[in-house]
Amino acid sequence: MPFIKHPDPAAYEGWLMYHSVGLFPGQQAAVEAALSSFAASWYAPSQRRWEEGLAARQRVLAQWGRLINAAPEHVFAAENVTEAFARFVTSLGRRLSGRKVLIAADCFPSLHFLLSHLAGRMGFTLYTVPLDAEQGWVEDEAYLDAWDDSVALAVITWVTSTASKRANLERLVDHARHRGSLVAVDITQGVGVLEFDATALGVDFAAATTLKWLCGAPGAGLAYLSPALLDGDIKPDIVGWFSQPDPFNWDLSQFSLAREARRFDTGTPSLLPFVASEPGLDWRLSGAAGGLRDRNLRLCHALMTVLENKGFRLCSPREDHRRGGSVMAEVPTHLEPGPLPAQLEDAGLFTDVRGRVMRFSPGVLTHDSVIDRLEHALPG
């Protein structure tokens, strides 16, 4: 199947979906080149076909470590965020038995599905802090009120996918230390547009995907484990040949776990999603990404003004320090939300809906003209 012809860069000027898929200048050509190079090496008549793909995967992990200020030995790869969380949570075993795992109702649903499934098998109680019906998100105060000494693990969504509400991680991690709880953070909707320092924060676990603001491909999940946990007795529930210090050990009597986070690898690793995601992380860590947050904030402020003038109720916090990179707004009751994304796409504007909530996330390719175009194309 041939590659799609490169579209005119102007086609991306109305891209407001960095909460779903991230784009950067020259992305398609860069990814095509990376995949072409991989194909040339993989199908060459050589015994070295694994080298390029494994090297790309390792470079992505190194980039991930740089981005979140984590040492290479403290990061590992998965297929997605849910899988990364599953590997972490199941490794905790008796630490969770008879205790609570805390999560907020505005988490990404997949994580709630996972934890609900594991609760009975692992013997913990999953407590879900309910939404504030008026605001549409869970305030940090409500989460803290539910967080007592019985909580073994607190699962925190740094930036929510339905309101772009941003948690105060410093405050929450400090509370964890006083309660003796572990902290696991889903940073998918924030990392790349906001700064995240795993070491300075002292979180126990964090995970994201290369999608969204990291401008990668689906199938590449990235995770972090704290040195304290790795130096303890934490062991994965599922292992494979890549969990070993030397993945190429074939002696059945000599299996042992790698000391570093790579012990959470399993069998033959996935390569293509990491090959395709490396250009995005390269771009994000380059000087070309400078000023991204300032641009994002300026456009978010303008978007909020347009949406309110059109009668859309904001579903995101107004304060910049309490909001991620997106603006969410509720469609007025006299409008049907379903057809709106297609109507806006006809005007060259790309967004989506979740129920009655429309999501807008401006990034590096989003042109200033989206504000006037949205003013004209969005019904009020």
Side-chain angles (χ1 to χ4, degrees):
M1 181 177 179
F3 285 123
I4 298 171
K5 182 181 178 182
H6 294 187
D8 185 330
Y12 298 122
E13 290 181 352
W15 193 256
L16 290 161
M17 291 186 61
Y18 282 82
H19 56 265
S20 180
V21 176
L23 304 175
F24 67 91
Q27 183 178 33
Q28 184 174 334
V31 173
E32 285 179 9
L35 292 172
S36 178
S37 177
F38 171 81
S41 66
W42 185 258
Y43 295 106
S46 168
Q47 296 296 327
R48 301 175 62 183
R49 59 170 41 89
W50 281 95
E51 292 183 10
E52 183 166 342
L54 287 174
R57 185 176 186 267
Q58 197 56 43
R59 286 194 298 269
V60 168
L61 284 170
Q63 291 167 324
W64 166 242
R66 283 178 55 201
L67 188 68
I68 65 170
N69 191 27
E73 60 266 27
H74 299 149
V75 300
F76 69 92
E79 183 177 348
N80 50 55
V81 172
T82 305
E83 183 188 2
F85 265 85
R87 294 189 198 177
F88 171 65
V89 173
T90 55
S91 74
L92 297 176
R94 286 176 295 179
R95 294 175 188 242
L96 302 185
S97 181
R99 301 185 69 190
K100 289 181 184 176
V101 172
L102 189 65
I103 197 167
D106 53 2
C107 66
F108 188 63
S110 188
L111 292 184
H112 200 279
F113 300 154
L114 168 71
L115 294 170
S116 296
H117 174 73
L118 291 177
R121 179 158 70 88
M122 295 185 65
F124 63 79
T125 299
L126 181 64
Y127 183 80
T128 307
V129 184
L131 288 171
D132 182 304
E134 188 171 321
Q135 291 184 313
W137 62 76
V138 176
E139 287 284 7
D140 290 352
E141 287 75 12
Y143 194 82
L144 289 168
D145 286 344
W147 192 340
D148 57 25
D149 291 343
S150 68
V151 174
L153 172 66
V155 176
I156 299 170
T157 303
W158 184 28
V159 176
T160 69
S161 62
T162 51
S164 200
K165 180 264 178 184
R166 178 179 176 182
N168 184 335
L169 291 182
E170 291 83 358
R171 182 184 180 195
L172 295 173
V173 172
D174 181 66
H175 185 83
R177 298 300 164 247
H178 286 91
R179 293 296 188 184
S181 309
L182 295 174
V183 174
V185 191
D186 175 5
I187 63 174
T188 303
Q189 289 288 346
V191 68
V193 69
L194 304 174
E195 297 300 321
F196 179 86
D197 189 323
T199 301
L201 283 167
V203 300
D204 298 293
F205 174 84
T209 172
T210 61
L211 286 169
K212 329 295 184 187
W213 300 99
L214 298 185
C215 301
L222 300 167
Y224 161 82
L225 268 172
S226 71
L229 283 177
L230 283 171
D231 291 342
D233 60 355
I234 190 168
K235 295 179 181 178
D237 199 45
I238 299 173
V239 301
W241 66 292
F242 244 72
S243 311
Q244 305 178 95
D246 174 13
F248 297 95
N249 164 55
W250 310 123
D251 185 341
L252 300 184
S253 67
Q254 295 298 315
F255 177 83
S256 63
L257 289 171
R259 291 181 56 83
E260 64 268 26
R262 193 169 54 74
R263 73 180 72 164
F264 283 84
D265 279 357
T266 55
T268 303
S270 173
L271 300 180
L272 281 173
F274 294 89
V275 171
S277 294
E278 186 180 1
L281 280 158
D282 275 342
W283 174 82
R284 176 57 187 81
L285 289 166
S286 73
L292 173 62
R293 179 56 170 166
D294 289 341
R295 176 174 184 75
N296 167 262
L297 285 174
R298 178 169 55 78
L299 288 172
C300 280
H301 295 161
L303 284 167
M304 286 190 283
T305 299
V306 171
L307 290 166
E308 289 193 302
N309 288 343
K310 291 285 185 175
F312 285 61
R313 183 182 70 86
L314 289 184
C315 299
S316 299
R318 291 181 179 277
E319 305 92 337
D320 293 343
H321 71 278
R322 300 184 66 225
R323 192 182 63 254
S326 308
V327 172
M328 278 75 165
E330 185 178 29
V331 177
T333 55
H334 67 278
L335 295 176
E336 182 61 40
L340 288 179
Q343 293 174 22
L344 292 180
E345 186 170 339
D346 289 340
L349 299 169
F350 300 87
T351 184
D352 63 8
V353 294
R354 290 291 183 269
R356 298 200 64 83
V357 175
M358 292 200 78
R359 306 192 295 174
F360 304 83
S361 305
V364 64
L365 289 182
T366 313
H367 195 268
D368 288 4
S369 64
V370 296
I371 304 304
D372 288 338
R373 290 155 70 179
L374 190 65
E375 183 76 57
H376 287 94
L378 187 67

